[in-house]
DNA sequence: GTCTATAGATTGATAGAC
DNA sequence: GTCTATCAATCTATAGAC
């Protein structure tokens, strides 16, 4: 009963709005284009969602949840730290390969309306305390190099996200605009990013 | 004679346009706002630059040059590779600290109009061949771990750029929205990013 | 609930005086 | 070169019929 794709109007609008907003951003998106994408009329958008702003906020919240993968599940898993980090990187890059336009959309909107971003984050109750203490323990135990855990997290995110956020530019200057080659490169990064990080932080016995 | 700030109208327009376009992007920027910022009238914008599009293109080209620092100067310098990479990272992060909104602006626009991006890059004649062969030689000589030089470059760029591109989000979730603390964090990254990279790629003798 | 038609507001661009 | 006034196009939002 769960996998049956709803094809009621509200669902169609949400799907269409997500597509258009991610591609064009809040400023660039047009209600007409969203209506076309949904195969309905412009007025219906305002019937279901009061305004462009409200529709956008619904989409942003929905999309934003996706960039916080389910990390709690494996923070306390009984596996070595290098496995944990490896799984995180793989899951994250997998997510980005399925939604390659997500990073640039988020990066754009967090600058456009930081106050709204703050309200969304508050509403999500994101808690990174557990993550940091877990990393701290691994450093104390001498398993990984001692460093600011926030630095480590931002490095992991940067290495994973940047090639997607900057795709058109990187593809152009480093891969001669060869789409296939760049896609292959991104796929391989599930391994190379993992190696790059572990080579840097793992303390060789 | 060189440091005298031109205060003719064209210069004022270019300065104002850069400020507004970087803050709002092409779609979000308004000609009225640029005119206000420049302290002149809207009609004058169209007198100097024919259209919003032409004005934007002038700004983009101008801004884009800044993200390609003068690397040729030190590619062939007679210093060890770890020094070279260190200098590159430091220079790049310095540049970003002076222009913190540059990354998000570029990332936004390369997605919005990739064809224009391609024309700009062609016009700049960017050549990375020398850089790659230099890195290749260092790998052959056993000074750094063997890897795809494009991968190494993208990792360096990602580690340097991402914390600026994602500033509002990172500052919020990792630093409790403490502006000062995040700025200090970014400053320290001139060292920590360098360490993170060298720890990963340097082959210990 | 869904549509057509249109109002109301914003904005890029131009005309014309000085 | 610079300004005021205004046009023309675009876009969000609403009114009203079905």
């Amino acid at each position: 009963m769960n996998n049956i794709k709803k094809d009621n109007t509200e669902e169609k609008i949400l799907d269409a709005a997500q597509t258009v907003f991610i591609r064009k951003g809040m400023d660039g998106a047009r209600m007409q284009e969203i209506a076309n994408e949904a195969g309905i009329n412009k007025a219906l958008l305002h019937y279901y969602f009061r305004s462009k702003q409200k529709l956008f906020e619904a989409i942003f919240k929905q999309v934003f949840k996706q960039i916080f993968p389910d990390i709690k599940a494996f923070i306390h898993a009984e596996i070595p730290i290098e496995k944990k980090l490896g799984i995180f990187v793989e899951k994250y890059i997998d997510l980005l390969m399925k939604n390659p336009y997500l990073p640039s959309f988020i990066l754009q909107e967090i600058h456009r309306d930081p106050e709204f971003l703050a309200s969304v984050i508050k509403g999500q109750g994101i808690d990174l305390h557990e993550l940091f203490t877990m990393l701290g323990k691994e450093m104390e135990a001498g398993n990984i190099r001692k460093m600011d855990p926030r630095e480590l997290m931002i490095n992991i995110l940067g290495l994973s996200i940047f090639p997607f956020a900057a795709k058109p530019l990187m593809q152009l200057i480093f891969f001669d605009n060869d789409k296939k080659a760049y896609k292959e490169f991104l796929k391989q990064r599930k391994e190379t990013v993992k190696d790059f990080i572990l080579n840097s932080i793992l303390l060789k016995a």
Side-chain angles (χ1 to χ4, degrees), chain A residues 72-199:
Chain A
K72 290 189 181 171
F74 76 102
I75 282 184
H76 298 105
E78 293 287 337
I79 51 174
I81 181 66
E82 60 261 36
K83 270 253 157 95
K84 280 186 191 176
L85 293 181
I87 291 174
F88 181 84
V89 168
E90 278 178 38
K91 286 205 169 187
Y92 219 93
I93 292 182
D94 263 334
L95 167 72
L96 294 175
M97 295 210 60
K98 280 172 201 151
N99 309 78
Y101 298 108
L102 215 134
S104 53
F105 170 71
I106 298 283
L107 292 182
Q108 179 177 347
E109 297 306 330
I110 62 179
H111 280 88
R112 202 186 57 82
D113 193 349
E115 292 81 10
F116 176 59
L117 170 71
S119 80
V120 171
I121 288 183
K122 253 187 182 169
Q124 294 228 145
I126 293 167
D127 183 24
L128 299 169
H129 189 67
E130 287 177 297
L131 178 62
F132 287 161
T133 51
M134 184 271 280
L135 289 174
K137 276 180 192 164
E138 298 285 349
M139 291 174 195
E140 285 303 322
N143 294 328
I144 57 176
R145 189 158 58 82
K146 281 188 184 177
M147 61 192 296
D148 185 336
R150 298 171 296 188
E151 192 200 322
L152 177 55
M153 285 310 300
I154 287 179
N155 287 352
I156 294 173
L157 293 176
L159 289 168
S160 302
I161 294 174
F162 179 77
F164 291 89
K167 179 183 161 189
L169 181 55
M170 296 298 111
Q171 187 173 286
L172 203 52
I173 63 176
F174 288 136
F175 289 83
D176 244 328
N177 227 6
D178 183 335
K179 218 175 149 179
K180 241 180 167 174
Y182 195 68
K183 196 174 181 183
E184 186 56 32
F185 170 76
L186 290 174
K187 211 159 104 189
Q188 286 171 351
R189 279 184 74 81
K190 276 191 277 189
E191 291 304 318
T192 55
V193 166
K194 193 168 63 179
D195 291 347
F196 193 85
I197 294 168
L198 294 180
N199 262 304

Side-chain angles (χ1 to χ4, degrees), chain A residues 54-81:
Chain A
K54 299 265 187 217
L55 177 55
F56 174 79
E57 291 180 4
I59 297 300
F60 186 84
K61 282 177 191 164
Q62 172 180 293
V63 167
F64 195 79
K65 282 178 195 162
Q66 301 177 24
I67 68 166
F68 285 98
D70 188 20
I71 47 173
K72 290 189 181 171
F74 76 102
I75 282 184
H76 298 105
E78 293 287 337
I79 51 174
I81 181 66

